[in-house]
Amino acid sequence: MVETCGHHIKRRRTETQPLKLSRAERWNVVDEEDVFMDILSRVSVKSIWSLKTLSKHWHGSVSTTYFCKLQLAHSRKNPSFIVCPTLETSMKLYSMDSRSFELSPLNTIDPSERSHRVSLYMISSFNGLICCVNVIFDVDVESKFFDLQIWICNPCTGETLLLPQGRPSFECEPCVGVAYSSDTSDYRIFRIFCTGKKIPEERESVEGYYVREGYALAYECEMFSSSTGSWKSIGLVPCVPMDCGLRPYKTGHICVGGTVYWLVSLDEPGKILSVNLEGRFKVINLPEYEANQKGEDKITEATHLINLKGSLALLVLHPGYMDLWVLKDDGETYSWVPVPLLKVRIRIKDDELVLTVTSLKNKIICVTETHWHIYDVNTGKWKKIKGPRTGFGYPAVFPFTQSILPCKLCLYIYIYV
């Protein structure tokens, strides 16, 4: 039998150090296959994907659950951003370096099963996958019910997965949120929709019913689990996420630590709706400002939820400055803690409209129609970078890690290893 590199390493170590190694330690030597897998997991996804066609051995090696988990672990050490600058029929995605903020083409997602060639909109990024939605549109059918197609995509491999349809929503589009955790690839999709059930307006205080056009309508929520591949009703919702004219399809949410958060209302006291991976809802009041403060110094329409170093944060933009609050929640009680050193002159002009906000580590990125505005929480300094030549239109920007996780089988990467 021909001696492999791994066997040679084991033999030489036991020959040269027979007395210094225990019986168990003599065989606790890295095999050459492990070395190969570790090296390969550090190269780009594009290069890994091209190797799958070279041989059956390499195809099998990079398709294992162990390798997918290893590659994702290395990729998380060097995160970037995924950017869709404009809302178009074909979703053109770019990768943006987290240091230089330079854009490079990543992929174009254009699934043939999409309804009537309508535009896809990216709403979430997790474990190298993204979630996108588009409205279902049929020119030949008039209906009071609306629905969305929901997609899971891998931008690096180009794979797309269309999720099953949920229950349609009466006279409004469903509100969608994505829950995930860094320790598992089991994700949950939440759809808040109007059932069409009505009660008189005077009974609007009934939980799950909200006034619209003179009568109260019932809103419920369904949860999709990647482990079952199906939707499950989790009942009425305590409140309904607010509309945001800067984001289509009522998709303005953030996921932090496996919990999804939506803004519900900015009127005092202001509310946030949250739901965790188990489908349990919670309503959180926004931080309270001092009573003697002016309206423009309190919660404004330019209020955004972000993930700041693993905690939910509330960013409030004011003319010339901003406030930042971090949520401290132990499961029973919660409080908002203001972040210091943020009473600095904001570098965004009053006539610039902030279209979307994201964050990565200590950086907060505000996107206007023409520029990136980057704020460093640690140094308190602003940096302004010109955006794409064509500008931004309904931009979507999220932290991103490259991965080769398959859309259909991502759950098994962690459960069966």
Side-chain angles (χ1 to χ4, degrees):
M1 181 179 70
V2 178
E3 185 178 47
T4 66
C5 179
H7 291 138
H8 175 74
I9 294 173
K10 292 176 183 178
R11 179 175 60 79
R12 290 292 297 166
R13 287 194 61 180
T14 53
E15 286 178 353
T16 56
Q17 296 177 315
L19 300 178
K20 295 181 180 180
L21 297 175
S22 67
R23 181 180 179 86
E25 288 173 331
R26 292 177 187 178
W27 299 103
N28 189 24
V29 181
V30 178
D31 189 81
E32 76 276 5
E33 185 71 12
D34 294 327
V35 176
F36 165 75
M37 297 280 271
D38 185 69
I39 294 174
L40 191 60
S41 66
R42 299 171 187 267
V43 304
S44 68
V45 169
K46 184 178 180 180
S47 299
I48 295 174
W49 211 243
S50 63
L51 294 176
K52 296 185 70 173
T53 61
L54 295 182
S55 70
K56 290 183 178 180
H57 173 71
W58 283 32
H59 184 282
S61 296
V62 302
S63 299
T64 62
T65 55
Y66 167 76
F67 180 78
C68 291
K69 182 178 179 180
L70 184 64
Q71 184 277 328
L72 182 59
H74 286 310
S75 182
R76 282 176 175 162
K77 297 176 183 178
N78 187 29
S80 59
F81 292 97
I82 186 167
V83 181
C84 183
T86 58
L87 192 63
E88 298 178 313
T89 303
S90 297
M91 188 171 66
K92 297 178 181 179
L93 298 174
Y94 297 83
S95 176
M96 185 172 71
D97 186 87
S98 60
R99 297 180 181 89
S100 65
F101 291 89
E102 293 183 357
L103 290 175
S104 58
L106 180 60
N107 210 336
T108 298
I109 305 297
D110 189 17
S112 59
E113 303 96 326
R114 189 170 72 257
S115 172
H116 202 70
R117 303 292 297 172
V118 294
S119 299
L120 274 174
Y121 184 66
M122 179 170 55
I123 67 171
S124 180
S125 168
F126 60 100
N127 295 335
L129 303 177
I130 61 173
C131 182
C132 308
V133 299
N134 65 266
V135 68
I136 295 178
F137 180 73
D138 191 338
V139 294
D140 299 322
V141 177
E142 291 187 9
S143 175
K144 290 187 177 181
F145 286 89
F146 295 82
D147 206 353
L148 300 172
Q149 286 182 317
I150 304 175
W151 304 81
I152 302 297
C153 311
N154 186 319
C156 294
T157 65
E159 182 188 4
T160 60
L161 171 67
L162 176 62
L163 301 189
Q165 294 300 129
R167 292 173 59 187
S169 182
F170 180 72
E171 292 188 341
C172 65
E173 296 163 351
C175 179
V176 180
V178 184
Y180 55 89
S181 170
S182 60
D183 297 327
T184 175
S185 56
D186 179 17
Y187 57 85
R188 310 290 169 91
I189 312 291
F190 295 93
R191 293 175 67 258
I192 298 176
F193 62 98
C194 180
T195 65
K197 298 177 183 177
K198 301 179 182 179
I199 60 174
E201 182 179 356
E202 56 268 20
R203 295 180 59 198
E204 63 176 285
S205 59
V206 177
E207 182 174 320
Y209 285 79
Y210 306 93
V211 173
R212 199 174 77 201
E213 298 180 359
Y215 48 84
L217 287 167
Y219 284 79
E220 296 184 9
C221 184
E222 289 180 323
M223 179 178 70
F224 175 88
S225 171
S226 60
S227 60
T228 63
S230 60
W231 293 96
K232 172 186 175 182
S233 175
I234 57 175
L236 296 170
V237 295
C239 50
V240 179
M242 62 183 287
D243 287 311
C244 177
L246 303 178
R247 290 192 181 102
Y249 310 134
K250 295 181 70 172
T251 55
H253 73 283
I254 191 76
C255 179
V256 182
T259 299
V260 176
Y261 299 89
W262 291 274
L263 281 171
V264 172
S265 172
L266 300 179
D267 297 329
E268 291 189 75
K271 293 180 181 179
I272 292 173
L273 174 66
S274 72
V275 61
N276 62 14
L277 288 166
E278 287 71 43
R280 290 194 289 268
F281 286 99
K282 184 177 181 179
V283 178
I284 302 170
N285 288 332
L286 297 184
E288 295 183 3
Y289 282 78
E290 296 179 7
N292 60 353
Q293 286 184 286
K294 297 179 181 180
E296 63 269 18
D297 292 328
K298 298 182 180 181
I299 298 295
T300 70
E301 292 184 359
T303 296
H304 305 267
L305 299 177
I306 62 173
N307 182 339
L308 185 64
K309 301 179 182 181
S311 298
L312 177 69
L314 186 77
L315 176 69
V316 184
L317 300 176
H318 303 276
Y321 73 98
M322 66 182 183
D323 292 328
L324 186 63
W325 304 74
V326 172
L327 180 69
K328 301 296 183 182
D329 189 349
D330 61 9
E332 295 183 1
T333 61
Y334 67 88
S335 62
W336 290 97
V337 179
V339 178
L341 304 178
L342 283 171
K343 291 292 184 179
V344 295
R345 188 68 184 175
I346 197 169
R347 294 295 184 89
I348 304 174
K349 297 179 180 178
D350 292 343
D351 60 350
E352 287 187 275
L353 180 64
V354 175
L355 302 177
T356 189
V357 174
T358 190
S359 61
L360 178 62
K361 297 181 180 178
N362 60 308
K363 299 288 196 310
I364 299 174
I365 296 92
C366 300
V367 184
T368 64
E369 294 177 333
T370 57
H371 287 82
W372 305 95
H373 296 265
I374 303 101
Y375 179 77
D376 191 313
V377 177
N378 294 341
T379 65
K381 294 182 178 180
W382 282 94
K383 185 177 182 180
K384 183 177 180 179
I385 300 176
K386 190 171 179 58
R389 180 177 55 84
T390 55
F392 295 104
Y394 292 110
V397 185
F398 298 98
F400 182 66
T401 53
Q402 292 191 6
S403 86
I404 58 172
L405 293 183
C407 298
K408 293 183 179 179
L409 302 178
C410 59
L411 170 68
Y412 305 110
I413 300 295
Y414 293 93
I415 290 185
Y416 295 114
V417 171

